[in-house]
Amino acid sequence: MLVRDAMSTMVLTIGPAHTLRQAARLMSTRRVGAAVVLDPDTCGLGILTERDVLISVGQGQSPDAETAGTHTTTDVVFADPSWTLEEAADAMSHGGFRHLIVMEGNEPVGIVSVRDIIRCWAPSRRRAATLTV
């Protein structure tokens, strides 16, 4: 199975000036764990995750004062839609993160998460276990 089969194509995109509260509200409303942060001034592309928001709040920072741009990961590993799920899982495991922005050319076309991969693998694992019993 490929990344394109598991990824979410509904990509939440925010700007670096969004507050962490605004970002958290948007992520919560859309039920996603990450947002792509586009910085038009630098043509940069990064990711803000629920973990980034949690760390900031846990450090006592104000979600109304802190911005997405301050907490965005810009050293991002991107996935290609044609990667296998094993390749995506390996990249996540080695990098210690749970989301990959999926790029086609210079455009983000999706996000794949650990949860997406598990959803794809779990049914086939149950079927395989049933067949071997």
Side-chain angles (χ1 to χ4, degrees):
M1 191 169 265
L2 302 178
V3 165
R4 76 170 48 92
D5 303 318
M7 71 183 191
S8 171
T9 56
M10 297 296 290
V11 179
L12 173 60
T13 304
I14 63 173
H18 277 81
T19 67
L20 291 186
R21 183 175 309 278
Q22 291 169 323
R25 186 176 294 122
L26 289 167
M27 286 190 282
S28 175
T29 299
R30 298 210 177 135
R31 300 179 55 113
V32 297
V36 173
V37 181
L38 291 174
D39 189 343
D41 294 335
T42 65
C43 296
L45 186 69
I47 191 166
L48 178 76
T49 68
E50 58 197 0
R51 184 182 293 173
D52 298 323
V53 175
L54 182 67
I55 289 169
S56 175
V57 171
Q59 292 174 345
Q61 298 172 340
S62 169
D64 294 310
E66 294 296 313
T67 63
T70 305
H71 297 277
T72 297
T73 300
T74 55
D75 184 20
V76 180
V77 175
F78 298 105
D80 189 272
S82 64
W83 280 14
T84 65
L85 293 185
E86 289 82 6
E87 289 172 308
D90 188 53
M92 290 178 189
S93 176
H94 281 80
F97 43 82
R98 298 179 291 178
H99 299 86
L100 287 169
I101 299 172
V102 183
M103 300 288 287
E104 201 160 47
N106 292 328
E107 295 295 319
V109 294
I111 291 185
V112 66
S113 69
V114 169
R115 181 176 288 149
D116 295 328
I117 293 171
I118 290 170
R119 282 186 190 135
C120 289
W121 281 349
S124 64
R125 301 264 188 230
R126 282 195 300 271
R127 276 195 303 273
T130 304
L131 294 174
T132 58
V133 174

